[in-house]
Amino acid sequence: MRIAVQQEPFDLGAEANAFAAGDTGSGAIVTFTGVVRDLAQGDLDVMEIEHYPGMTEKALAKIANEAKARWSLGDVLVIHRYGRLAPGDRIMMVATAARHRKDAFEAAEYLMDYLKSRAPFWKKERTADGAEWVASRDEDEDALKRW
Amino acid sequence: MRIAVQQEPFDLGAEANAFAAGDTGSGAIVTFTGVVRDLAQGDLDVMEIEHYPGMTEKALAKIANEAKARWSLGDVLVIHRYGRLAPGDRIMMVATAARHRKDAFEAAEYLMDYLKSRAPFWKKERTADGAEWVASRDEDEDALKRW
Amino acid sequence: MDVLYFAWVRERIGLPKEQVETSAATVSDLVAELRAREPRYEAAFADLSALRVALDQELSDFDASLTGVREVAFFPPMTGG
Amino acid sequence: MDVLYFAWVRERIGLPKEQVETSAATVSDLVAELRAREPRYEAAFADLSALRVALDQELSDFDASLTGVREVAFFPPMTGG
């Protein structure tokens, strides 16, 4: 299990290959990657991600350990960036390895649902019109209810 | 959309990076990779995958197009190998890109469920004791019912 | 008409493809003709519930008509992914 | 006790962290003390339903006791992923 909270970009392909190479017993590997979208139709200049150093790592490890307790997983990876990102930059990724595809998929979705609403990150979008904190969405909170 | 049916190995990381680079409007990218597992506890020597040239590409394209019709997707990738594979070798991968993570996850699961039971591939496992065709599983057929 | 066999159907019949002259109206009629030929066909087609059929590279079923069909393929349930 | 602020809570209050001397028994009591200080605190804590709290880096709630707690953090709902 690897949890990384970092300012630097990560290489999705290199991470996916390293994750897959490290887990030879699993038949199924799922990755999810989040990319900065230009929500405001062409005028998003930068996204700033603030986090809570100290708590962030703990919160991510807790979420990952809950996934490991809940599904039969070979391995789990969580990478989440903070700082300044531009449209097209990769914000975060999770990867799960399991014997069965259902476990790998469900665990990855679980990780994402909890990362969205229970890991201490806050996004601010800066456009030509100014800067605004991204509001949490009711549907993200609702997504937790299925687990 | 890219559909590849090939004997050669593929590079999961390179494919994931190329897929993500090709789709800049999507916020969510999901990949699934299938790896040859040693089902028979240490004595699987080789897995042979037979397919139906001509039909295979059509069946995969049909499944991918159905996913695109059903979810709002930026892009879809399907790679499936045939021929001789060893434990640890990657058999296939799918990737989906979407604005929202729910669409990317569901479409990837849909692709996998249909690939399992509706794409003309047949697996044979060769062990010290001989060779045996992998039987289809009722749960794979049942998995289609949720869509 | 071209008739193709895959996986253990191919192994039981002993060939991957053959040309068959037939006036069978449906897939079931064709299967009956093939079964009557030789024991290896009888063995391959003994349990139709364990078989699938594709007509011109599209999944179909045993009741389907063969009118206009150029390629019939028989194989066990697929195990991709 | 260390009190930390993140995102727009930090911006409204104007600092990321401060030391607070308090004998507040619960988070709500601490919030009441802070609100009484200055308008910028009043502005930050005006709507508690829009806020979350962590005690010693664990998510908690406004009814929780502060006994033994060394670090309190206030922030809006998280938007990770």
Side-chain angles (χ1 to χ4, degrees):
Chain A
M1 183 170 112
R2 187 162 84 84
I3 307 288
V5 181
Q6 63 188 49
Q7 199 156 3
E8 308 73 49
F10 61 90
D11 182 330
L12 159 59
E15 295 290 349
N17 273 343
F19 183 78
D23 191 278
T24 53
S26 297
I29 294 162
V30 169
T31 71
F32 178 93
T33 308
V35 181
V36 180
R37 262 197 300 144
D38 192 342
L39 294 163
Q41 296 179 334
D43 55 354
L44 175 65
D45 293 321
V46 70
M47 173 178 276
E48 288 170 10
I49 303 181
E50 181 170 335
H51 81 119
Y52 183 170
M55 177 170 169
T56 311
E57 295 77 359
K58 274 184 231 174
L60 295 180
K62 188 180 171 197
I63 293 167
N65 279 321
E66 274 164 13
K68 290 189 82 168
R70 200 157 169 154
W71 288 277
S72 180
L73 299 177
D75 200 5
V76 175
L77 167 69
V78 178
I79 302 173
H80 205 302
R81 294 178 65 193
Y82 61 90
R84 293 170 76 89
L85 285 84
D89 284 356
R90 290 150 200 183
I91 306 175
M92 49 70 59
M93 78 177 280
V94 302
T96 55
R99 286 176 70 85
H100 301 294
R101 71 184 186 284
K102 190 168 181 291
D103 287 346
F105 271 120
E106 284 189 6
E109 290 183 73
Y110 175 94
L111 290 171
M112 285 310 304
D113 284 351
Y114 274 83
L115 273 172
K116 280 274 167 192
S117 312
R118 292 292 182 272
F121 291 99
W122 301 274
K123 289 178 186 147
K124 189 178 200 172
E125 289 177 340
R126 199 173 288 282
T127 67
D129 297 334
E132 203 156 340
W133 290 97
V134 174
S136 63
R137 301 188 315 161
D138 287 343
E139 62 200 90
D140 284 331
E141 191 64 32
D142 290 345
L144 300 183
K145 288 177 190 151
R146 61 171 162 158
W147 304 112
Chain B
M1 184 170 111
R2 188 162 84 84
I3 308 286
V5 181
Q6 64 188 49
Q7 200 156 4
E8 308 73 49
F10 60 89
D11 182 330
L12 159 59
E15 294 291 348
N17 273 344
F19 183 78
D23 191 277
T24 53
S26 297
I29 294 161
V30 169
T31 71
F32 178 93
T33 309
V35 182
V36 180
R37 265 198 298 144
D38 192 342
L39 293 163
Q41 296 179 335
D43 56 354
L44 176 65
D45 293 320
V46 69
M47 173 176 275
E48 288 170 9
I49 302 181
E50 183 171 335
H51 81 119
Y52 184 169
M55 178 171 170
T56 311
E57 295 77 1
K58 275 185 230 171
L60 295 179
K62 188 179 171 198
I63 293 167
N65 279 322
E66 275 163 13
K68 290 190 82 168
R70 201 157 169 153
W71 288 278
S72 180
L73 300 177
D75 200 4
V76 175
L77 167 69
V78 179
I79 302 172
H80 204 302
R81 293 178 65 193
Y82 60 90
R84 294 170 77 88
L85 285 83
D89 284 355
R90 288 150 200 180
I91 306 174
M92 49 69 60
M93 77 177 282
V94 302
T96 55
R99 286 176 71 86
H100 300 294
R101 71 185 187 284
K102 191 169 180 292
D103 288 345
F105 271 121
E106 285 189 3
E109 291 184 71
Y110 175 93
L111 290 172
M112 285 309 304
D113 284 351
Y114 274 82
L115 273 174
K116 281 273 167 192
S117 312
R118 292 292 182 273
F121 291 99
W122 300 275
K123 290 178 185 146
K124 189 178 202 173
E125 290 177 341
R126 200 172 288 281
T127 68
D129 298 335
E132 205 157 340
W133 291 98
V134 174
S136 63
R137 302 187 315 160
D138 287 344
E139 62 200 271
D140 283 332
E141 191 63 32
D142 289 347
L144 299 184
K145 289 177 189 150
R146 62 172 161 157
W147 303 112
Chain C
M1 159 185 307
D2 288 327
V3 182
L4 282 68
Y5 309 110
F6 291 97
W8 58 253
V9 183
R10 172 178 55 69
E11 290 177 338
R12 283 194 200 168
I13 292 176
L15 44 83
K17 186 174 175 175
E18 61 185 323
Q19 280 238 317
V20 174
E21 296 299 322
T22 179
S23 53
T26 66
V27 177
S28 294
D29 294 342
L30 174 61
V31 168
E33 281 182 19
L34 292 169
R35 286 177 72 159
R37 280 183 170 187
E38 285 179 48
R40 59 197 169 105
Y41 289 94
E42 176 64 34
F45 290 106
D47 177 11
L48 287 192
S49 75
L51 290 181
R52 301 289 178 268
V53 61
L55 302 183
D56 289 331
Q57 309 188 344
E58 289 266 1
L59 277 177
S60 187
D61 53 66
F62 289 88
D63 296 334
S65 162
L66 290 178
T67 306
V69 170
R70 286 156 305 169
E71 183 174 304
V72 180
F74 295 103
F75 42 76
M78 294 152 276
T79 54
Chain D
M1 160 184 305
D2 289 329
V3 182
L4 283 69
Y5 310 110
F6 291 96
W8 58 252
V9 184
R10 170 178 57 69
E11 290 177 337
R12 284 195 200 169
I13 292 176
L15 43 83
K17 186 176 177 174
E18 61 185 320
Q19 280 237 317
V20 174
E21 296 299 321
T22 180
S23 52
T26 66
V27 177
S28 292
D29 294 343
L30 174 62
V31 168
E33 281 182 20
L34 292 169
R35 285 179 72 158
R37 279 182 168 186
E38 284 179 50
R40 59 196 170 106
Y41 288 94
E42 176 64 33
F45 290 106
D47 177 11
L48 287 193
S49 74
L51 290 181
R52 301 290 179 267
V53 61
L55 301 183
D56 289 332
Q57 306 186 349
E58 288 266 0
L59 276 178
S60 187
D61 54 66
F62 289 88
D63 296 334
S65 162
L66 290 177
T67 307
V69 169
R70 287 155 305 167
E71 183 173 304
V72 180
F74 294 104
F75 42 78
M78 293 152 278
T79 54

